[in-house]
Amino acid sequence: MGRGSQQTVPGEPDSGKAKGVYTWEEVKSHNSRNDQWLVIDRKVYNITQWAKRHPGGFRVIGHYAGEDATEAFTAFHPDSKFVQKFLKPLLLGELAATEPSQDQDKNAAIVQDFKTLRAQVEKQGLFQGQPLFFFLHLSHIVVLEALGWMLVSMWGTGWIPTLLCSVILATAQAQAGWLQHDFGHLSVFKKSTWNHAVHKFVIGHLKGASANWWNHRHFQHHAKPNIFTKDPDINTLDTFVLGQTIPVEYGIKKIKHMPYNHQHQYFFLLGPPLLIPVFYNFNIMHTMITRRYWLDLAWAMTYYLRYFYYYAPLYGVFGSVALFFFVRFLESHWFVWVTQMNHIPMDIDHEKHKDWLTIQLQSTCNIEQSFFNDWFSGHLNFQIEHHLFPTMPRHNYHLVAPQVRALCEKHGIPYQEKTLWRGFADIVTSLKTSGDLWLDAYLHK
């Protein structure tokens, strides 16, 4: 134990008045599932029991066990003073004065410069949302939903009206997905409780999904993007091998669940068409029931009740189900291409314990700005800025982008920006490259 500390039971906060003084080596030794410490602003906390009650899920906070979590803590919590009351009972002590503020191989200069940039951005008011922007976005989703129903109710349920209705509804679903993303990241209202409440409405009533499912999954992605075993978005269940490291490891171990050298081809059959209508639909329902997210389930049911109320009289039950899955099929293509163009072509590897700026820039890239690109991607064409400042309202990404680019240039960190089509093409190219690496290792290593 560190100097001045009292012996504690693993998993329980220090109950003594005297607080300990610890080294990084001591902190790093507490990184197992049943014994987790982390550091925030040089303060050492025992989060073992708290992780089970963490609103963002136990996995996301557990990913920082044995590490400095200062930058992630700042990025995810817009009201740090409010969160401090939860941290206080978990406090064990602090780092020894001789210990650096950064752990592992994190660059202290980059950490300090990014901290300065964040302070400047806050002073500029770029974390202040414009509710009117999001209200107008919600309004255009409602208009699209109404237009889709009016089209088939007035023109009939023939192939052409049904196809047009499907495209309109898929557009509404995609845009509702971007909108729930805004509320889920607490980037609309000043009060987190308001964001959480509206998030449940948007993702539940407009999309039939679960806020808790999304939170626990998505924040892991932001905390450790493109890090194998920690980012669920790159957990492809052995269907694909991504990056340059994992394919070689699979090849050397002679793992062949799929013909990975052809993954850039079967991606078109298994990726965009099936993610939302098959995997997400099942996973969301399974999660809500098994984890007893009853409020989320109730909100999701309002979506299905509304949908079948309007479309069952027109198409019948089976026809409505078919329409539902076809809309999800179209939406899934939109979602997969937009969300993966920023990540699959980037660095995907095991944990390397980099600073916040470096890890986000290595795992994300931007797509050129235009009115269409902004709307089409829900402003996720500014993926770099979104990952660096996840609680920033999306309408301010273009304002902070030049400052981020300047900071990256100062430290020699690549800031990648592509055309939309180049982003799409790079998904396929990177899948082929990874597949070739697997085949070479499988045959020759």
Side-chain angles (χ1 to χ4, degrees), residues 240-398:
F240 303 96
V241 287
L242 307 177
Q244 297 185 353
T245 301
I246 308 306
V248 175
E249 291 180 356
Y250 270 46
I252 292 174
K253 296 176 182 178
K254 309 307 176 187
I255 298 175
K256 186 183 180 181
H257 297 291
M258 297 287 285
Y260 297 121
N261 52 311
H262 295 293
Q263 65 179 4
H264 62 292
Q265 296 168 323
Y266 66 70
F267 170 77
F268 291 92
L269 299 175
L270 301 182
L274 301 182
L275 183 66
I276 289 180
V278 177
F279 178 72
Y280 273 7
N281 267 336
F282 171 79
N283 190 248
I284 290 170
M285 284 297 174
H286 180 265
T287 300
M288 287 192 292
I289 294 171
T290 57
R291 297 189 182 178
R292 297 177 177 147
Y293 297 151
W294 303 129
L295 180 58
D296 284 4
L297 184 61
W299 271 117
M301 288 302 101
T302 67
Y303 164 80
Y304 287 102
L305 288 171
R306 174 172 58 86
Y307 172 81
F308 283 106
Y309 175 82
Y310 282 106
Y311 287 97
L314 298 172
Y315 289 95
V317 175
F318 292 108
S320 299
V321 171
L323 177 64
F324 168 83
F325 278 104
F326 184 60
V327 169
R328 289 289 195 240
F329 168 83
L330 295 177
E331 178 201 359
S332 189
H333 282 79
W334 190 331
F335 175 81
V336 170
W337 287 103
V338 168
T339 56
Q340 299 312 306
M341 67 185 178
N342 305 103
H343 293 296
I344 284 184
M346 305 302 291
D347 183 59
I348 299 175
D349 211 333
H350 296 287
E351 176 69 81
K352 292 184 178 178
H353 303 286
K354 299 291 185 179
D355 54 84
W356 186 256
L357 182 71
T358 300
I359 188 177
Q360 303 300 342
L361 267 294
Q362 286 180 344
S363 59
T364 59
C365 66
N366 278 8
I367 302 300
E368 290 178 346
Q369 183 187 21
S370 70
F371 178 81
F372 175 79
N373 286 354
D374 291 354
W375 174 83
F376 182 74
S377 68
H379 287 83
L380 294 183
N381 49 327
F382 288 96
Q383 191 74 209
I384 292 173
E385 287 70 30
H386 170 58
H387 264 255
L388 290 176
F389 307 105
T391 60
M392 179 180 288
R394 61 159 120 157
H395 51 70
N396 288 336
Y397 292 158
H398 72 285

Side-chain angles (χ1 to χ4, degrees), residues 23-203:
T23 66
W24 277 118
E25 286 301 317
E26 289 174 298
V27 173
K28 286 192 290 184
S29 67
H30 297 272
N31 64 350
S32 65
R33 184 181 178 89
N34 297 315
D35 182 18
Q36 300 181 345
W37 293 8
L38 55 71
V39 175
I40 299 173
D41 290 324
R42 297 187 63 85
K43 304 290 186 183
V44 181
Y45 298 93
N46 185 337
I47 61 161
T48 309
Q49 295 301 320
W50 166 245
K52 300 174 184 177
R53 305 189 300 275
H54 183 233
F58 68 90
R59 286 190 178 91
V60 65
I61 194 171
H63 289 337
Y64 278 90
E67 299 180 30
D68 177 40
T70 304
E71 292 185 297
F73 175 83
T74 303
F76 293 138
H77 300 96
D79 188 352
S80 59
K81 292 182 179 178
F82 173 76
V83 183
Q84 286 296 331
K85 70 177 185 179
F86 298 99
L87 286 176
K88 190 174 181 180
L90 312 178
L91 181 64
L92 291 176
E94 60 185 17
L95 292 173
T98 54
E99 291 291 304
S101 295
Q102 283 72 47
D103 65 327
Q104 310 287 345
D105 297 323
K106 295 174 183 175
N107 188 311
I110 293 178
V111 171
Q112 183 56 50
D113 281 355
F114 181 72
K115 183 178 180 180
T116 300
L117 173 60
R118 183 179 177 90
Q120 292 173 350
V121 169
E122 289 177 344
K123 189 175 295 185
Q124 293 166 6
L126 298 186
F127 284 95
Q128 301 302 313
Q130 297 176 7
L132 179 61
F133 172 91
F134 298 101
F135 174 77
L136 292 175
H137 191 81
L138 172 62
S139 298
H140 104 288
I141 294 169
V142 173
V143 169
L144 287 169
E145 291 272 4
L147 183 62
W149 177 79
M150 289 174 60
L151 191 150
V152 291
S153 64
M154 295 175 63
W155 290 359
T157 56
W159 285 105
I160 293 178
T162 297
L163 182 60
L164 291 174
C165 174
S166 299
V167 171
I168 292 171
L169 291 182
T171 302
Q173 283 297 298
Q175 292 300 321
W178 308 144
L179 183 61
Q180 69 82 23
H181 181 262
D182 297 316
F183 289 103
H185 275 293
L186 314 179
S187 62
V188 180
F189 300 115
K190 290 183 179 179
K191 290 185 176 294
S192 296
T193 51
W194 295 1
N195 285 296
H196 286 305
V198 181
H199 185 217
K200 286 189 178 296
F201 163 77
V202 175
I203 196 173

